[in-house]
Amino acid sequence: MTMPALSLTAVPGRRRQTLELAGEIERRGFAGLWVPSPFAGLSLCHALAHVTERLTFATSIAPIYFQPVDEFAQAAGFLHEVSGGRFRFGIGVSHQSTHRRLGLSAGRPLEDMRGFVDRLRAVPRTGSLPPVVLAAMRPRMITLAGEIADGVVFANACRSRIAASLEALPFAVRADPKFEVACMTPTCVSEDLEAARAVNRRTLSRYARLPYYRAYWREAGYAEEMDEVERVLDRDDAAVAARLSDRWLDDTTLAGRPGRIREGVEELVEAGVRTPILVPSSAVGNQMKAFAEVFGVYAPA
């Protein structure tokens, strides 16, 4: 049985509790923690370096436009050193809507990513740097990851598409066990499959508003769903969610009883994912309830 990694955020008011949760995740033998950018993700990684002892942890992702590259390099070097090499620096370009909201000026994603990694590795007096993992969904960024990085991380990827996506990597890179292939998958554990699907629909409705994701899902075989979404983009998230089919949802998320979750994780591994990352939500509670439900999926027999 594959033990997945988990996605973890530290929301205001539960930050200390989140650090305690990280210790429990380590004790239960999960494969790692991947930390998204909201709620000071890089700060959480600094804390994880000190409150865990064996667990691998990573940003997933740190958007490359959010800080000067020198600051990122020093932080990454610090985390690599104090964690004993357990940190992975996951980076990505984020999305145009985020750039506009923050008043950021972003250029061409592939050129900017290549330039960022080059500059990161050239910053003086950082010490050793951690492995660099690129967020990617489509072939050109995946190819770039195989050329300049130490891994690739998908988010909200279709399990049926992953093997084809990985063909953008040279065979030698795909065969290299040191090259990370990770995938973040929205997950809701529940005896009520429809309730769990509804949670994941709400989670992904905002991603369906993003052109980059819609383009990926079109390529993955869900053009009809994306056409329906585009007809209601001027309406609320509930209208968008209603256009997302069960077929699409079951290919992109994990929902339902524990056995169904475990089967989905094994499908990710069979498709070529080395580190499946569950992003827990609950149909009946908050973040802490969601993690308790995931713990139940992988509780000792």
Side-chain angles (χ1 to χ4, degrees), residues 209-222:
R209 291 187 178 278
L210 298 172
Y212 182 86
Y213 271 108
R214 292 201 304 277
Y216 164 79
W217 287 321
R218 281 184 181 280
E219 292 172 358
Y222 295 99

Side-chain angles (χ1 to χ4, degrees), residues 85-128:
R86 294 184 290 124
F87 176 62
R88 308 289 179 262
F89 190 34
I91 56 176
V93 296
S94 191
H95 298 274
Q96 291 181 357
S97 57
T98 301
H99 301 156
R100 287 194 299 269
R101 178 172 59 83
L102 297 176
L104 298 173
S105 178
R108 299 171 66 88
L110 293 168
E111 293 176 10
D112 286 0
M113 182 61 77
R114 182 186 294 276
F116 178 90
V117 173
D118 286 345
R119 294 194 304 276
L120 179 84
R121 290 171 172 160
V123 173
R125 303 184 66 184
T126 62
S128 297

Side-chain angles (χ1 to χ4, degrees), residues 12-287:
R14 289 206 300 266
R15 293 180 174 117
R16 287 184 179 275
Q17 191 177 1
T18 299
L19 297 183
E20 294 170 1
L21 178 63
E24 181 67 14
I25 290 167
E26 181 173 61
R27 286 189 292 274
R28 287 176 175 271
F30 285 90
L33 287 171
W34 291 66
V35 179
S37 57
F39 305 113
L42 199 55
S43 294
L44 176 54
C45 285
H46 280 282
L48 292 175
H50 297 285
V51 301
T52 62
E53 297 177 354
R54 303 174 305 280
L55 206 63
T56 298
F57 60 99
T59 49
S60 182
I61 47 93
I64 63 173
Y65 303 110
F66 281 21
Q67 287 185 174
V69 67
D70 291 59
E71 184 65 24
F72 271 131
Q74 293 294 342
F78 180 95
L79 283 165
H80 182 61
E81 181 176 336
V82 301
S83 71
R86 294 184 290 124
F87 176 62
R88 308 289 179 262
F89 190 34
I91 56 176
V93 296
S94 191
H95 298 274
Q96 291 181 357
S97 57
T98 301
H99 301 156
R100 287 194 299 269
R101 178 172 59 83
L102 297 176
L104 298 173
S105 178
R108 299 171 66 88
L110 293 168
E111 293 176 10
D112 286 0
M113 182 61 77
R114 182 186 294 276
F116 178 90
V117 173
D118 286 345
R119 294 194 304 276
L120 179 84
R121 290 171 172 160
V123 173
R125 303 184 66 184
T126 62
S128 297
L129 290 172
V132 174
V133 178
L134 301 194
M137 298 295 288
R138 302 177 72 191
R140 289 191 298 169
M141 190 65 79
I142 297 170
T143 299
L144 183 65
E147 181 182 343
I148 69 171
D150 304 292
V152 62
V153 56
F154 303 118
N156 310 320
C158 298
R159 294 193 291 285
S160 65
R161 182 69 176 179
I162 287 171
S165 295
L166 291 175
E167 291 178 2
L169 295 170
F171 177 78
V173 173
R174 275 182 280 154
D176 183 356
K178 295 182 180 178
F179 188 85
E180 178 66 273
V181 178
C183 182
M184 300 181 69
T185 301
T187 301
C188 183
V189 183
S190 176
E191 293 294 314
D192 185 338
L193 176 59
E194 292 310 312
R197 281 173 171 162
V199 170
N200 288 339
R201 272 198 179 86
R202 288 195 296 271
T203 298
L204 285 184
S205 61
R206 63 189 181 93
Y207 291 95
R209 291 187 178 278
L210 298 172
Y212 182 86
Y213 271 108
R214 292 201 304 277
Y216 164 79
W217 287 321
R218 281 184 181 280
E219 292 172 358
Y222 295 99
E224 183 177 342
E225 286 87 345
M226 297 307 108
D227 286 344
E228 288 295 318
V229 165
E230 288 176 356
R231 292 188 182 100
V232 296
L233 286 175
D234 59 340
R235 296 170 59 184
D236 62 13
D237 285 352
V240 172
R243 271 66 184 178
L244 302 175
S245 69
D246 285 349
R247 184 178 72 97
W248 172 87
L249 197 72
D250 290 345
D251 197 12
T252 309
T253 72
L254 296 173
R257 295 179 175 179
R260 205 168 186 270
I261 304 300
R262 291 191 294 266
E263 288 172 6
V265 168
E266 297 305 329
E267 288 172 4
L268 285 164
V269 173
E270 291 169 7
V273 173
R274 293 195 170 100
T275 305
I277 308 162
L278 306 187
V279 186
S281 296
S282 176
V284 294
N286 63 12
Q287 179 194 39

